[in-house]
Amino acid sequence: MNLRLLAAAATAMLSLSLVAAAPASAGNRYPDTITLPNALIAGDVGFQPEGIAITGNTAYVTSFADGTVVRADLRTGRVEPFVPADGDGALGVEIAGPLLLVAGVTSGELRVYDRVSGQRVALFDVTDTGLVNDIAVAGSTAYFTDSLRAVLYALPIRGRTVGTPREIPLTGDYRLAPPAAGVFNANGVVALDEHTLVMAQTHERSDGSGGALFAVDVRTGHTTRVDVRGGAIQGPDGLVLRGSTLYVVQHRVETVAELRLSHDGTSAVLLRTLTNDGLDVPTTAAFGPRGALYVVSSHFFTPPSDAVRYEIVRLDS
């Protein structure tokens, strides 16, 4: 960490233990929105949130700007620094028991932290040419997607013990789309069961449509495109699974699609879409208290700045 980042982080820790939250709606003590602290990030670039993971009343949110991770109290709206700037950005974040896992974007890093203290437990540099994007935990393994390479990174985890990561080449229906604006290969991912993941691929067209979902057998790396009926998935990003219901964050059209997924993950039916006026290029989501869905409003297509109000938005699902 350079001196500028260190000074900014120290100042923020002293002055930003409380961040404004929107008033809770009638009969609900949880804030509808929680503002993320731009002042934690050095320079006039804003927080630039990306990933979110929730346990109980606590949300962990990553910064694409510099790898900072904050911890937010969903009941009070209080936001505090948790993991200081890494120097490289962060995307997906996931909870694995006592550990917090973070995807390190183009640094090629799989980052592992203690979920209580924020201390680093392990760090693995797995690629020089990839982009580590999102994370799903299935059984005793965490799987990290790569948006530039057709592979998954499998990281064994047992309690606080972390093994050595290995690559799983992806075969079958999934193909890398050529790099272009609006193309995000291997974007969000969730675990359907111990052996099956569901993974999103964004390939946007000018009207905001495009993209696909794939079921992935982690034992072989074989992928099967999910047959979605009842409507098209548009710009899929983060994924959330609750039972057999899959929620797909659609960042370009600023909605969350709700689908009923088959038992093997190879087909789905679009049921409805959820939205909120506070969403501006939503990227990821996670379920929190009272069954509410908390969505990161990234403002990804707005030039990053401290003038931008980056937020977590609460949706009643």
Side-chain angles (χ1 to χ4, degrees):
M1 180 186 296
N2 63 39
L3 292 179
R4 186 180 181 190
L5 291 174
L6 183 60
T11 301
M13 288 181 184
L14 290 173
S15 62
L16 289 176
S17 60
L18 287 173
V19 175
S25 57
N28 171 34
R29 61 193 177 94
Y30 289 86
D32 292 327
T33 61
I34 297 174
T35 302
L36 298 164
N38 288 336
L40 270 182
I41 312 301
D44 182 17
V45 297
F47 190 83
Q48 299 182 52
E50 174 62 32
I52 185 170
I54 295 175
T55 178
N57 288 312
T58 302
Y60 301 89
V61 182
T62 58
S63 168
F64 179 71
D66 67 0
T68 293
V69 181
V70 294
R71 184 165 54 187
D73 187 324
L74 300 174
R75 185 171 42 199
T76 64
R78 178 188 178 103
V79 181
E80 61 184 6
F82 184 65
V83 175
D86 182 87
D88 293 298
L91 288 177
V93 59
E94 188 57 270
I95 294 165
L99 302 177
L100 190 72
L101 313 176
V102 175
V105 203
T106 53
S107 71
E109 295 172 348
L110 317 182
R111 303 172 190 162
V112 184
Y113 302 97
D114 184 283
R115 188 165 59 80
V116 175
S117 69
Q119 294 297 309
R120 179 181 290 172
V121 173
L123 183 140
F124 302 95
D125 190 347
V126 293
T127 177
D128 293 327
T129 58
L131 189 157
V132 186
N133 192 325
D134 205 3
I135 312 160
V137 177
S140 58
T141 305
Y143 298 93
F144 293 71
T145 62
D146 191 313
S147 292
L148 296 179
R149 304 179 65 222
V151 299
L152 295 172
Y153 305 107
L155 180 65
I157 296 175
R158 291 191 181 276
R160 288 182 51 84
T161 302
V162 181
T164 301
R166 63 184 177 89
E167 284 190 8
I168 302 175
L170 297 177
T171 62
D173 292 341
Y174 175 73
R175 294 288 188 275
L176 288 176
V183 173
F184 300 93
N185 292 296
N187 215 337
V189 65
V190 290
L192 181 59
D193 56 44
E194 189 172 351
H195 303 300
T196 310
L197 307 179
V198 178
M199 182 179 73
Q201 181 184 38
T202 304
H203 188 182
E204 293 178 358
R205 303 182 180 95
S206 59
D207 62 357
S209 65
L213 303 173
F214 296 87
V216 184
D217 186 332
V218 296
R219 293 167 295 189
T220 63
H222 183 78
T223 64
T224 303
R225 183 166 178 151
V226 179
D227 178 20
V228 179
R229 299 184 296 274
I233 296 301
Q234 303 181 67
D237 198 331
L239 305 179
V240 187
L241 187 65
R242 184 167 65 175
S244 61
T245 304
L246 179 68
Y247 295 83
V248 181
V249 180
Q250 302 182 118
H251 65 240
R252 175 67 79 171
V253 294
E254 299 178 343
T255 63
V256 179
E258 181 181 313
L259 294 82
R260 184 188 304 116
L261 197 62
S262 66
H263 72 282
D264 63 356
T266 61
S267 65
V269 177
L270 179 63
L271 302 176
R272 60 172 178 158
T273 56
L274 309 172
T275 192
N276 182 293
D277 290 341
L279 296 181
D280 189 316
V281 194
T283 52
T284 56
F287 276 104
R290 300 183 178 180
L293 192 63
Y294 287 83
V295 185
V296 171
S297 187
S298 78
H299 297 262
F300 188 79
F301 298 112
T302 301
S305 164
D306 286 353
V308 179
R309 190 180 178 94
Y310 299 99
E311 295 175 317
I312 308 168
V313 178
R314 182 182 187 273
L315 297 182
D316 290 318
S317 59

